[in-house]
Amino acid sequence: MNDLEIELDRLELIPVMPIPDHLTGEVQSKLAYVDELIASAQVPPPGDQIVLRLRQPAGSLPEARRAELEDKVQRVVTSMVKGAFKPKIQVLEDHLDRPTPFSEDPMSQLAGRGEISQEAPGVYSLGPLVTRLIGYFEGRFLDLAASFGAQPYRFPTLIPARYLERVNYFRAFPHSLTFVTHLREDLDAIDHFSQLAACDEAGVLNTPPASFAQVQTLLSPAVCYHLYFALADKTLPGGKLAATAVGNCFRYEAINLVSLERLWNFTMREVIFVGPKDYVLENRETARQRMHRVLEETGLAYRVESANDPFFIGEFRKQAAFQSAFQLKYEIRARLPFKERLALVVKRSSPPSTLAVGSYNYHQDFFGRNLNISLPDGSPAHTGCVAFGLERIAFAFLAQHGLDPAGWPVHVAEAIK
Ligand code: ATP
Ligand code: ZN
Ligand code: MG
């Protein structure tokens, strides 16, 4: 068998109910969590079938196993598509036509120069150029935070399970959780572990059964939650607060963890507003306008448009519609020119390929109510945050402008000298 035959052997085509254009990306990303057999998943136009590449030949699967796989895929599609309506995408800014001199995928050049080094899927070390570029963007975000008089905070990387439970995280985003544990406080368990623990070829750590304590803590998926937890069950002194923090965030995105685009371990800088509704909404809008000027200097080609969070399958339809109806989330989506080239190669006309590098979020009084954060008049606080993915914004910039600072917009090139 040649390579092509092996590849074809692993393909599984599943006809499904028509998936409208605006949902193909969401469905495709959720297929990553459907079955461990799935190595990759695609929803090619016109969206009436799913193409899966499996980890083993489709023909070698028992019929019952194939049926189970197909059933799970159908459940995802039905649950996300049936009764869904197309949200009106609101575009607040459109600068996608800014000149972008570069059109390659920067990953191989970055790897070639030792600027990135992959430790595991979605886990990278970054070298001096990328680090300096991130430092440049961090500087701009800190300026933004300072323009609101935002108070600095530092938050832990771990987050207690009971906190996430209080904000319904286990219902909304179970798929991307990362759990933390430790060995049980037991001499025999620790002795056993120290003698038997070893990694297999796939990097799996084999341990004696019952080594680990039960999970009480996870790796934090976002930064602003920590501020809300610190304010929980209290009245907010002064009735409003602007804060800022940077932190490690963790989202397990399974087979979607490809390149710097989608990391398991990434860094987010947030500017956070807590107070009455108007205070939060006005500041979110002011932040967008200030960022507009900053992003212009960076020469980034992007658009700001309404969006929704990546809720898990069962919650997706309802929650996404809610977010869209109340304009709760806008994303800064940067162009990835190399993806458009790829689309041309497969002769598909496609809209510009973009990646979210930041978001402007308004949570209404969700955290205020669930965590009992009160304003001086006794009403629940409203919250909002402006969140930037540091690796993502650097990646998008490099994808548009290349790795040579000589060709970069002067403002950026000067700043990282
Ligand atoms: P996406 O739509 O790409 O899944 P998101 O809507 O879940 O992202 P937010 O929750 O708004 O993202 O997080 C704020 C920012 O953090 C994003 O705009 C992005 O820049 C960054 N970010 C989110 N998830 C990841 C990830 N897995 N890897 C790298 N950066 C990420
Ligand atoms: Zn936030
Ligand atoms: Mg998003």
Side-chain angles (χ1 to χ4, degrees):
M1 254 197 196
N2 62 35
D3 286 356
L4 185 64
E5 281 169 328
I6 291 174
E7 273 296 296
L8 289 175
D9 205 33
R10 296 186 174 202
L11 288 184
E12 177 81 0
L13 272 57
I14 302 180
V16 292
M17 69 191 289
I19 303 171
D21 262 3
H22 74 277
L23 283 176
T24 52
E26 300 276 7
V27 171
Q28 195 165 298
S29 73
K30 291 302 178 305
L31 289 167
Y33 304 97
V34 163
D35 196 296
E36 287 169 337
L37 273 174
I38 299 175
S40 72
Q42 229 95 55
V43 187
D48 57 359
Q49 65 175 359
I50 305 274
V51 180
L52 301 179
R53 196 162 53 79
L54 304 181
R55 294 188 199 277
Q56 65 186 72
S60 72
L61 294 175
E63 197 38 49
R65 186 72 181 86
R66 255 174 113 157
E68 181 200 331
L69 177 68
E70 161 151 13
D71 174 61
K72 286 197 265 185
V73 168
Q74 297 291 1
R75 267 158 52 202
V76 173
V77 175
T78 311
S79 162
M80 293 179 75
V81 171
K82 208 171 163 190
F85 64 90
K86 190 179 160 105
K88 254 221 244 55
I89 299 288
Q90 228 191 325
V91 178
L92 302 188
E93 285 175 53
D94 192 343
H95 312 288
L96 283 176
D97 59 357
R98 278 204 182 122
T100 54
F102 199 69
S103 58
E104 322 252 307
D105 182 344
M107 284 303 277
S108 59
Q109 285 190 36
L110 285 169
R113 296 194 193 183
E115 278 292 334
I116 54 169
S117 150
Q118 191 185 26
E119 296 190 359
V123 182
Y124 286 84
S125 299
L126 304 177
L129 181 74
V130 186
T131 302
R132 287 198 183 97
L133 186 58
I134 286 180
Y136 163 78
F137 282 109
E138 256 288 68
R140 307 289 71 74
F141 303 144
L142 284 169
D143 291 346
L144 175 77
S147 75
F148 290 100
Q151 298 296 312
Y153 281 77
R154 285 174 64 81
F155 299 126
T157 298
L158 304 187
I159 198 161
R162 81 185 126 80
Y163 282 3
L164 289 177
E165 182 186 31
R166 271 184 89 175
V167 298
N168 207 33
Y169 206 89
F170 300 143
R171 301 280 163 287
F173 308 106
H175 52 297
S176 56
L177 294 167
T178 313
F179 303 89
V180 173
T181 180
H182 51 82
L183 293 178
R184 290 190 300 113
E185 295 92 334
D186 179 289
L187 183 62
D188 294 329
I190 298 172
D191 269 347
H192 259 110
F193 175 88
S194 72
Q195 284 153 26
L196 298 176
C199 289
D200 69 12
E201 272 164 28
V204 174
L205 177 61
N206 288 310
T207 59
S211 296
F212 297 114
Q214 286 190 306
V215 171
Q216 291 180 306
T217 311
L218 291 89
L219 292 175
S220 190
V223 172
C224 62
Y225 289 11
H226 293 277
L227 180 70
Y228 311 143
F229 295 131
L231 302 174
D233 303 314
K234 288 198 275 276
T235 299
L236 183 69
K240 49 185 145 170
L241 173 66
T244 188
V246 66
N248 267 292
C249 295
F250 300 82
R251 297 186 189 173
Y252 181 70
E253 305 214 23
I255 52 173
N256 298 325
L257 292 169
V258 287
S259 92
L260 288 193
E261 270 173 64
R262 212 163 271 289
L263 300 171
W264 188 358
N265 179 174
F266 62 99
T267 345
M268 215 192 280
R269 160 66 64 181
E270 293 204 36
V271 184
I272 309 156
F273 303 105
V274 186
K277 175 180 181 180
D278 290 351
Y279 168 79
V280 173
L281 279 174
E282 280 163 22
N283 280 319
R284 178 176 76 153
E285 175 56 16
T286 307
R288 183 183 69 78
Q289 289 171 9
R290 291 182 186 159
M291 278 313 292
H292 173 194
R293 261 170 280 148
V294 173
L295 293 171
E296 188 166 14
E297 285 173 350
T298 67
L300 203 71
Y302 72 96
R303 172 155 82 189
V304 176
E305 63 184 31
S306 52
N308 53 259
D309 281 317
F311 299 104
F312 199 55
I313 296 152
E315 295 273 298
F316 178 81
R317 199 159 22 102
K318 198 178 73 204
Q319 299 260 38
F322 182 83
Q323 269 190 324
S324 141
F326 292 95
Q327 300 169 12
L328 301 186
K329 185 177 177 98
Y330 293 99
E331 282 180 338
I332 307 170
R333 303 198 61 95
R335 256 185 78 198
L336 293 182
F338 71 90
K339 293 236 159 144
E340 292 155 26
R341 264 192 5 164
L342 285 179
L344 275 181
V345 172
V346 293
K347 293 208 169 52
R348 225 198 276 161
S349 74
S350 66
S353 294
T354 60
L355 176 69
V357 297
S359 60
Y360 302 104
N361 305 286
Y362 171 47
H363 315 118
Q364 301 175 307
D365 58 359
F366 176 82
F367 292 105
R369 270 185 297 108
N370 283 282
L371 298 173
N372 190 23
I373 309 169
S374 309
L375 298 179
D377 69 2
S379 66
H382 288 239
T383 62
C385 69
V386 181
F388 302 100
L390 298 186
E391 296 83 359
R392 279 233 190 137
I393 199 161
F395 178 76
F397 178 88
L398 293 167
Q400 295 183 5
H401 294 281
L403 273 65
D404 181 2
W408 290 0
V410 264
H411 199 271
V412 190
E414 284 295 317
I416 74 146
K417 257 187 194 155

